[in-house]
Amino acid sequence: MPRWRALPEELDPQVREFAEHLRRLVERSGLGIGAVADRTGYSKTSWERYLNGRLLPPRGAVEALAEVTGTDPRHLGTLWELAERAWSRAELRHDETMEAVRVAEARAALSEAEAAPPRGARSKVRSALRAEGTGPDHGDREPDRVNTGLPRSPEAADVRDKAIPLRAPAGGGPRPKARRRRNVVLFAVGAAGALLVAAAAVLLWGGEDDAPAPAPAAAAPGPSGSQSAQSPAPTGVKCTGSACAGQDPEAMGCGGLHATTAGSATVGTSYLEVRYSKACGTAWARITQAVPGDSLRISATGAQQSGRVDRGADGHTRMIAVTGARQASACATLVSGRKGCTTPRTAEPGPTG
């Protein structure tokens, strides 16, 4: 029997009740989490999260568990709907809390930035003055003083003497016309530079639009029942399609995470499955809780493989090539004389672990 971890204290009461109900169903079935994963088509890691309250199971997983444990899926689905609404409310509260935290942090950061003086402003002015050096003689004219609000000695030179050298006319008066001409020239140069930048941007964008689009690479069609060259087989998969026919699914890497249960049936006390691997394009039959001597068979249009339980309680056949999960069916004949065949599932589950 599984030993359950304590459910999270912050779990919503309705979600907690639903998780405890799922635990009781698994306990009454006598199955381990690995067996539940194999029979429902959802991985062992996912079921550990579902049963420990770390994740709410999807409705398909709940319906698959109801089928495995013989529970009415309607009643279990009602409890799931209540838990799903409670889970959504909890997520909404969490999102609102995190958004409030982000807003508070943003406001605090902006307040600090507004209160602090601009970095490097004074150092830039000092660097410009040092780079300019001492200006030419200004004659008897002294520039207007800038009121900084700080005391200054009478003999201290105005900072603008070095920052912006002024060349006074012979009469000692200012030259406003020359200053206006200089401003006009600077404005014209700036406008011309802006026009050049805009023209360069238009040319660049136009060149990109006129460039011919690269021709799409032609995908080489793969053989029937195998993956195309653009969809290479996953890591560990050693064959696809007809190349897998007659091979052992575990040895070829088609089982485990790459396999799902496409059909199932209970024959006597044994559990019979059609295992389907989309990655390999194959199917095979598997039986659990069997006894030595029980036989099983997987068949599809024009293909068939048989197997037998030699020892232990589990067994499976070799693979046949198929193009879909619902194409194959499995049958079993027990030493007790009981016989049975699988029925396809209404929806294709995710891969099991």
Side-chain angles (χ1 to χ4, degrees):
M1 301 294 291
R3 294 183 179 180
W4 306 114
R5 297 180 181 177
L7 293 172
E9 295 181 359
E10 66 275 11
L11 205 60
D12 186 272
Q14 289 181 329
V15 179
R16 178 183 295 273
E17 178 186 3
F18 183 67
E20 292 173 347
H21 191 74
L22 294 182
R23 288 180 172 186
R24 288 193 295 270
L25 289 179
V26 174
E27 289 175 352
R28 284 200 297 265
S29 68
L31 300 174
I33 297 181
V36 171
D38 288 339
R39 297 189 180 190
T40 59
Y42 290 81
S43 68
K44 180 179 178 181
T45 302
S46 297
W47 275 113
E48 288 175 347
R49 293 175 180 173
Y50 302 156
L51 297 171
N52 288 324
R54 301 296 178 185
L55 188 65
L56 186 70
R59 192 181 189 101
V62 175
E63 293 176 350
L65 181 63
E67 178 184 349
V68 169
T69 58
T71 307
D72 190 337
R74 295 174 299 174
H75 299 330
L76 194 58
T78 300
L79 293 180
W80 177 85
E81 291 175 357
L82 294 175
E84 196 275 336
R85 286 196 290 268
W87 188 279
S88 299
R89 289 195 299 269
E91 286 184 338
L92 180 60
R93 288 195 297 270
H94 178 268
D95 292 344
E96 291 176 348
T97 301
M98 294 306 297
E99 183 178 0
V101 170
R102 290 194 296 269
V103 170
E105 291 177 348
R107 287 174 176 171
L110 289 175
S111 298
E112 293 178 0
E114 292 173 357
R119 296 182 179 180
R122 295 182 178 177
S123 61
K124 289 181 180 178
V125 172
R126 287 195 294 268
S127 300
L129 294 178
R130 285 195 298 268
E132 189 69 22
T134 304
D137 184 17
H138 298 289
D140 296 332
R141 179 179 178 271
E142 182 180 0
D144 296 336
R145 301 295 183 181
V146 178
N147 183 15
T148 63
L150 298 177
R152 99 186 249 126
S153 59
E155 63 275 6
D158 193 286
V159 69
R160 293 184 300 175
D161 292 349
K162 296 183 179 181
I164 307 176
L166 299 177
R167 187 176 300 275
R175 299 178 61 184
K177 293 183 178 180
R179 188 175 304 160
R180 285 196 296 270
R181 285 197 299 270
R182 183 177 60 184
N183 292 339
V184 171
V185 170
L186 291 175
F187 177 80
V189 171
L195 290 175
L196 288 176
V197 171
V202 170
L203 291 176
L204 287 176
W205 290 337
E208 291 178 354
D209 293 339
D210 296 338
S224 176
S226 64
Q227 296 181 332
S228 67
Q230 289 183 337
S231 302
T235 303
V237 173
K238 302 177 183 178
C239 67
T240 56
S242 58
C244 294
Q247 301 290 337
D248 183 89
E250 301 300 331
M252 294 293 105
C254 298
L257 293 174
H258 302 305
T260 62
T261 297
S264 61
T266 301
V267 183
T269 58
S270 302
Y271 186 69
L272 178 66
E273 300 171 87
V274 172
R275 299 289 288 169
Y276 168 69
S277 173
K278 184 177 181 180
C280 296
T282 57
W284 62 94
R286 182 174 72 177
I287 192 170
T288 55
Q289 298 183 6
V291 298
D294 290 348
S295 61
L296 63 163
R297 181 182 73 253
I298 184 75
S299 58
T301 304
Q304 178 176 305
Q305 290 288 340
S306 299
R308 182 183 181 89
V309 180
D310 295 327
R311 60 181 180 275
D314 302 335
H316 61 267
T317 67
R318 293 182 177 272
M319 296 185 286
I320 60 174
V322 295
T323 58
R326 301 170 64 87
Q327 186 178 352
S329 62
C331 295
T333 302
L334 309 183
V335 294
S336 62
R338 298 289 296 272
K339 298 181 179 180
C341 297
T342 59
T343 56
R345 290 191 171 179
T346 56
E348 183 176 327
T352 61

